[in-house]
Amino acid sequence: MRRVVITGAGTINPLGHDVASTLTAMCEGRCGIGPLDIPLIDRLTVRIGAQVRGYDETAHFDRPQLSLYDRFTQFALLSAQEAVEQSGLSFDGALSERAGVVVGTSGGGLNTQDDNYRAVYEAGKDRVHPFVVPKLMNSAAAAHISIRHNLRGPSFTVSSACASSNHAMGQALALIRAGMADAMLTGGSEAMLCFGGVKAWEGLRVMSKTGCRPFSADRDGMVQGEGAGIFVFEEREHAMRRGAAILAEVAGFAMSSDAADIVAPSRDGAARALAGAMRDAGVAPDNVGYINAHGTGTTANDRTECAAVMEVFGPHAPQVAISSTKSMHGHLIGGTGAVELLACILALRDGVIAPTIGHRRADPDCALDVVPNVAREADVGVALSNAFAFGGMNAVIALRRA
Amino acid sequence: MADEIRQRVIEIIAEQALVDVSDVSMDQSPADLGIDSMGLVESIFALEESFDIQIPFNANDPQAGDFDISTVASIIGAVEGLVAAQRS
């Protein structure tokens, strides 16, 4: 079977505007969550979030571009640029037809929708900008990455709520394995921190007003974030022939569905995705040194996720380090798996396990090594990244050290 | 007034539980009535809309906070309290 490696990574998220600063923040256990700075904040009851701060869109894009690029497209384009530069690939000639892009997103151009609904309903305007549709469509980020980098093979968007990024990267892996492409840009992007985006989550009553404390007995919910992560997935022989630096191998992937409840997670569904990814990668529990948890900080997720890990890892479960970096960058919804894959690369390549910060008190329902508060050095050969979404859609990726 | 609140709360709970109003008794918990966690969130929303009140409720820990949701009677009492506070 054709093997797939990662030869480039890029990101912009609440912890940093590139990969290096993000990994530094993860090592330091820095928190990107704070008071939300968005219009109409006084009409929200949830007033914290993990925003991309210090970001000026006009420093990166000109006016014609900004009329087409929603914030989620901007984040995806900036991340893709960093990833492509690191990979050293240029998509011209034959490679361009063998290269594509799969981006995960849940809300797509939600800021654009929010702004324009406000314009027509609240401000009573009868006319909107001509590019509202191409700006808000969920496929806009993938399309603009394809256009910018001349990727002329398969391009599309995957949307499975909080598992969108992992499902997207799984599709990119499958396309290269199947011989349908040699290189794929893939990951996810999300920008939902606008009034409508936060208001909708607020309604669900699962949001914390105090912070994201996964696995801590005093946790009280999730915190929304925003941002993107994009990677260059490349067929291994292709990468080796050109002497590319390899960040990690994408060794396995599995998806499962709970087929049960629209919001409540299931141990069985999560366990089958975990076990499936390990089977696909050909690894046993004692090969796995790190799990980047879905770890939302809700009561239901963290308890169910830990039970699934215990079921799959059995007696080895206490030996596996499992952390939730959402404690630092918040829940990037459709973009979250991509940013969390960076923590897996950090563990494999740099030997550092990012912590679960904000952890105050052990929860007997989460009796695993959750790497509380402080990063740790470790020799990790295989890392897993979990995503368990609303809708009962689960996707787990296995990375192996290059 | 108190009767009106009691009647409306029972109607909302009965609707959520898919039972007749006459089948709701004061000592039942939402769980007794077959209301799951999402049903509870919907009930809270319906109560807020109906009485124009803000109910402190976090689905991660429904027992936390000042709003006592343990029985139908306690929910009625808590709504009465919030409605009174709203008017004062």
Side-chain angles (χ1 to χ4, degrees), chain A residues 210-379:
Chain A
T210 58
C212 182
R213 296 184 298 280
F215 309 122
S216 184
D218 67 348
R219 66 189 179 276
D220 62 2
M222 54 175 273
V223 175
Q224 268 179 280
E226 64 174 356
I230 299 287
F231 301 89
V232 176
F233 280 18
E234 187 173 351
E235 194 269 324
R236 187 165 172 267
E237 294 297 321
H238 190 278
M240 289 175 67
R241 268 200 308 277
R242 65 186 188 89
I246 293 171
L247 303 179
E249 178 176 2
V250 189
F253 175 68
M255 304 173 269
S256 72
S257 303
D258 298 344
D261 192 275
I262 192 69
V263 290
S266 123
R267 184 184 80 167
D268 168 70
R272 285 187 291 115
L274 268 165
M278 288 162 64
R279 197 163 51 241
D280 189 42
V283 299
D286 60 356
N287 302 133
V288 177
Y290 173 60
I291 301 171
N292 184 284
H294 190 55
T296 56
T298 63
T299 307
N301 173 84
D302 294 3
R303 185 184 289 155
T304 308
E305 182 166 18
C306 289
V309 168
M310 284 189 233
E311 177 183 326
V312 173
F313 282 75
H316 188 69
Q319 271 81 58
V320 185
I322 174 170
S323 72
S324 170
T325 50
K326 286 187 179 75
S327 56
M328 295 181 272
H329 52 64
H331 192 336
L332 275 61
I333 317 291
T336 212
V339 171
E340 288 163 29
L341 205 68
L342 291 171
C344 293
I345 292 173
L346 179 70
L348 296 167
R349 188 192 60 179
D350 304 331
V352 178
I353 295 180
T356 306
I357 69 165
H359 193 275
R360 295 171 182 166
R361 207 167 72 235
D363 178 355
D365 286 332
C366 305
L368 295 170
D369 174 9
V370 298
V371 198
N373 302 317
V374 182
R376 179 192 302 165
E377 289 188 6
D379 182 25

Side-chain angles (χ1 to χ4, degrees), chain A residues 204-206 220-221 263 298-299, chain B residues 38 44 48 55 57-60:
Chain A
L204 208 48
R205 305 277 186 156
V206 295
D220 62 2
V263 290
T298 63
T299 307
Chain B
M38 290 315 288
I44 297 285
E48 286 183 330
I55 298 175
F57 178 82
N58 184 334
N60 288 288

Side-chain angles (χ1 to χ4, degrees), chain A residues 63-108:
Chain A
R63 194 204 55 78
Q65 290 173 324
L66 287 172
S67 71
L68 283 165
Y69 299 169
D70 180 271
R71 192 169 169 91
F72 99 104
T73 297
Q74 297 171 30
F75 289 162
L77 277 168
L78 292 171
S79 302
Q81 185 67 36
E82 185 187 2
V84 170
E85 279 171 15
Q86 181 178 32
S87 77
L89 284 172
S90 61
F91 298 98
D92 44 25
L95 180 61
S96 83
E97 289 181 27
R98 301 280 302 158
V101 49
V102 190
V103 173
T105 187
S106 185

